[in-house]
Amino acid sequence: MAMVRGIIEEEIASGMPANRIVVTGFSQGGALSLWTALTRESEESLAGVVCMSGYLPKASSFALSPAGAQTKTLMCHGEDDPLVLLQFGKASEALLQEQGIQDLTFKSYPGLVHSINEEELDDVGAFLAEVLPPLAPEDASAEPEL
C-alpha cells in the first residue's frame, strides 16, 4: 500500500492534479485500490477508484478518510465468483455506505466468475469517462510530461 500511495504522491508532486488520478485493481489489486484511495489523508480527493472482484480486507480496522469519502467509487463483482465471494464485495459496499462514502456504485454481473467480461469493461469505461472528462484545450498544455 505504501508503494501505491508513494506513486500517487509522486504524480501529484510532478504536477498531475489529484482529481485526474484513478486507482484501479482486480481481486487483491482491487482490495489494495480501495484501501489506498479511500484512506488517503489529503485535502484533495482522487478522481476515483475502481475495484473489480475485490473487497475491503481487515474491514474492522478500515477508516474512510474525509478525502476518501469524496472519491467516486465503482465496485464491480461477478455473481458467481468462487474466489472472492459476492457477499464479500457487498459487505464492503455496506461498510463504505455506513462510513459515509458520498458516491459509490456497486454493479454485479450474473454468471460471471472471478474474471472480467465485456459488460464490466463497458461500465468501467463509462465510469472513467465520467470522472476523467477530456481536458479543455487550454488545460492540455498544462499536463505534466509522462
Side-chain angles (χ1 to χ4, degrees), residues 49-67:
V49 60
V50 177
C51 175
M52 297 172 283
S53 297
Y55 66 104
L56 276 171
K58 297 184 179 180
S60 62
S61 62
F62 178 83
L64 184 66
S65 71

Side-chain angles (χ1 to χ4, degrees), residues 106-117:
F106 189 97
K107 293 186 174 252
S108 63
Y109 305 90
L112 185 64
V113 293
H114 197 65
S115 185
I116 298 170
N117 65 16

Side-chain angles (χ1 to χ4, degrees), residues 27-97:
S27 192
Q28 286 298 100
L32 178 67
S33 296
L34 284 175
W35 193 280
T36 301
L38 300 180
T39 61
R40 184 173 169 270
E41 293 296 334
S42 175
E43 303 243 339
E44 299 176 293
S45 61
L46 300 178
V49 60
V50 177
C51 175
M52 297 172 283
S53 297
Y55 66 104
L56 276 171
K58 297 184 179 180
S60 62
S61 62
F62 178 83
L64 184 66
S65 71
Q70 300 296 317
T71 302
K72 291 183 180 186
T73 302
L74 174 64
M75 296 181 71
C76 302
H77 215 106
E79 291 182 5
D80 295 332
D81 189 334
L83 298 177
V84 179
L85 300 178
L86 177 63
Q87 70 192 46
F88 298 162
K90 296 296 282 177
S92 298
E93 174 195 24
L95 176 67
L96 291 171
Q97 300 276 4

